[in-house]
Amino acid sequence: MNDCVMPTYARQPVAFDRGEGVWLWDESGKRYLDAISGVAVCSLGHAHPAVQQALCEQAGRLVHTSNIYRIPRQEQLAAELVRLSGMDNVFFSNSGAEANEAALKIARRHGHDKGIERPAVIVMEGSFHGRTLATLSATGNPKVQAGFEPLVEGFIRVPYNDVNAVEHIDDPSVAAILVEPVQGEGGVRVPAPDYLNRLRELCDARGWLLMLDEVQTGIGRTGTFFAFQRNGILPDVCTLAKALGNGFPIGACMAHGAAAGLLKAGQHATTYGGNPLGCAVGLAVLGEMEKLNLPARATQLGERLRQGLSARLAALPGVTEIRGQGLMVGIELDRPCLPLVGAALEQGLLINVTADKTIRLLPALVMEDAAADQLIAQLGDLVEAFLSTTP
């Protein structure tokens, strides 16, 4: 990488030239099995025909106007998200962090409307909500916050998957809870099955908003269109991004009930969010997800991966746990395992390590069984070799 690019990423030594489905080819023509799909972004795989068609057709017609004017494609995409989720309305953004910023502003409006002068939001240890100052402050990872203090105030942190810790908060400034249904960056951590239900009950009892960060779990990845649908509840606010554009940058903040009416004209805005091009892609993505029943495929493939990896690895000393939900799969080891990313790359496999000791797999929902079996075999060999040579 040349010096003209700001060195904010520890990049792997490869550049990709083209992709198709779950496969990528580098500039030399070497093929790679992509098991992270751009960190849960390309759920339809690379170069999906429906996405290509939507991009080309809309780009040749109209890319951008402004949110000053009506945008029919935006209205259509909002209607589809409302139909699929049961929420009431949608604010479109450029990214997940920007969607979470909108959620945090909704929480503060809710607090001020209740007469709270300095509203606070309960957030979870191990969470990740973005890199803007507000979402960084909400995030529960001191490593990514270090060096960027002072952080934005107004957050109360509690352990993840611990409802009792939330119940014991006796602070009249609380206006909302912000939580991920499954923590991705935190190590693919799946909470108790009734965790969200109990948080919903607490929020109802205390007049708090329940806000779900579904930037990584949303759009089918955990086996339902939205992870909260597994619990049979509706949140007050739910944020999306990643798979919504399958690589085109678009995010969304959905609201329900009273939360849907908290932001008024002039109180929040974005330049590019919800423009015709992004919304045309979002409509194509949702259409393919529904037509191909890909959320169900995520469940099926996720079970195949977890069972196969468990059979191959679970008995090995050094493998702590294999867990996940849908196509979010984590393999936790008893030691740091970042070197596995480079070793896998050399063998034509793209994986990711998060929370220092957890291998994270986020393959496309269109992955075929044969590719899943190849992933199990290839990763099994890599982990076994790594554990045998690394203390």
Side-chain angles (χ1 to χ4, degrees):
M1 188 174 74
N2 67 36
D3 294 337
C4 297
V5 179
M6 196 175 289
T8 58
Y9 302 99
R11 297 185 195 271
Q12 294 296 318
V14 64
F16 296 108
D17 179 61
R18 66 186 178 90
E20 182 179 336
V22 297
W23 304 100
L24 286 167
W25 284 263
D26 69 14
E27 293 173 313
S28 71
K30 179 180 175 180
R31 190 174 80 155
Y32 299 78
L33 175 56
D34 184 359
I36 55 174
S37 60
V39 191
V41 167
C42 298
S43 289
L44 293 180
H46 300 283
H48 191 280
V51 176
Q52 287 183 55
Q53 184 177 354
L55 272 169
C56 293
E57 286 183 359
Q58 190 61 46
R61 187 178 184 88
L62 183 67
V63 171
H64 180 79
T65 54
S66 163
N67 279 298
I68 293 172
Y69 311 104
R70 283 188 56 211
I71 302 175
R73 287 289 195 197
Q74 183 183 117
E75 294 171 9
Q76 292 169 23
L77 182 57
E80 281 298 285
L81 287 171
V82 164
R83 177 181 69 83
L84 290 165
S85 67
M87 303 292 278
D88 289 334
N89 60 18
V90 186
F91 171 84
F92 288 104
S93 61
N94 306 308
S95 67
E98 199 185 2
N100 283 333
E101 289 272 350
L104 294 172
K105 287 182 72 173
I106 288 173
R108 288 199 171 186
R109 283 299 321 175
H110 175 63
H112 282 287
D113 287 355
K114 292 177 64 180
I116 302 172
E117 186 176 349
R118 304 176 78 83
V121 177
I122 297 172
V123 293
M124 308 301 160
E125 294 174 358
S127 63
F128 183 83
H129 299 296
R131 301 274 187 176
T132 64
L133 267 179
T135 57
L136 186 73
S137 302
T139 289
N141 183 349
K143 286 185 180 178
V144 302
Q145 295 169 333
F148 299 105
E149 300 86 352
L151 300 176
V152 175
E153 67 176 24
F155 296 102
I156 299 170
R157 207 168 308 287
V158 298
Y160 186 61
N161 194 25
D162 186 346
V163 179
N164 291 334
V166 182
E167 284 178 330
H168 283 110
I169 292 176
D170 182 19
D171 187 333
S173 70
V174 173
I177 295 174
L178 175 63
V179 61
E180 297 158 284
V182 176
Q183 285 191 341
E185 294 291 328
V188 193
R189 297 177 64 201
V190 183
D194 64 346
Y195 180 55
L196 295 184
N197 300 79
R198 295 182 64 189
L199 292 181
R200 174 72 276 177
E201 291 169 4
L202 261 178
C203 287
D204 289 341
R206 302 195 185 185
W208 301 341
L209 299 182
L210 178 61
M211 309 198 301
L212 302 184
D213 179 342
E214 292 231 27
V215 168
Q216 192 162 133
T217 56
I219 318 296
R221 180 152 294 278
T222 63
T224 49
F225 252 97
F226 308 97
F228 67 77
Q229 291 170 326
R230 301 173 69 95
N231 295 78
I233 61 166
L234 271 180
D236 299 292
V237 177
C238 178
T239 58
L240 306 169
K242 290 189 179 287
L244 180 57
N246 206 65
F248 188 91
I250 181 171
C253 177
M254 307 189 295
H256 172 66
L262 287 171
L263 292 182
K264 311 296 184 187
Q267 292 183 333
H268 197 52
T270 181
T271 296
Y272 302 106
N275 73 12
L277 188 57
C279 290
V281 175
L283 283 164
V285 168
L286 295 184
E288 287 299 298
M289 282 277 171
E290 199 166 23
K291 183 176 76 177
L292 301 175
N293 197 17
L294 289 180
R297 179 63 176 159
T299 297
Q300 181 189 32
L301 265 174
E303 289 175 358
R304 188 184 188 97
L305 285 176
R306 282 188 293 278
Q307 288 176 7
L309 289 165
S310 295
R312 183 73 172 76
L313 295 172
L316 289 180
V319 176
T320 304
E321 186 179 15
I322 296 170
R323 57 178 178 259
Q325 192 172 88
L327 275 180
M328 293 179 73
V329 179
I331 306 161
E332 184 172 330
L333 306 185
D334 66 353
R335 66 203 73 177
C337 57
L338 187 60
L340 268 171
V341 174
L345 184 71
E346 289 180 4
Q347 296 194 21
L349 175 63
L350 304 186
I351 62 171
N352 173 245
V353 166
T354 188
D356 198 34
K357 298 179 181 177
T358 302
I359 302 163
R360 179 171 52 168
L361 305 178
L362 301 161
L365 278 56
V366 296
M367 174 179 262
E368 296 177 344
D369 289 349
D373 293 343
Q374 178 179 327
L375 171 57
I376 293 166
Q378 208 169 354
L379 186 57
D381 290 345
L382 281 161
V383 172
E384 188 170 5
F386 174 77
L387 291 173
S388 68
T389 58
T390 308

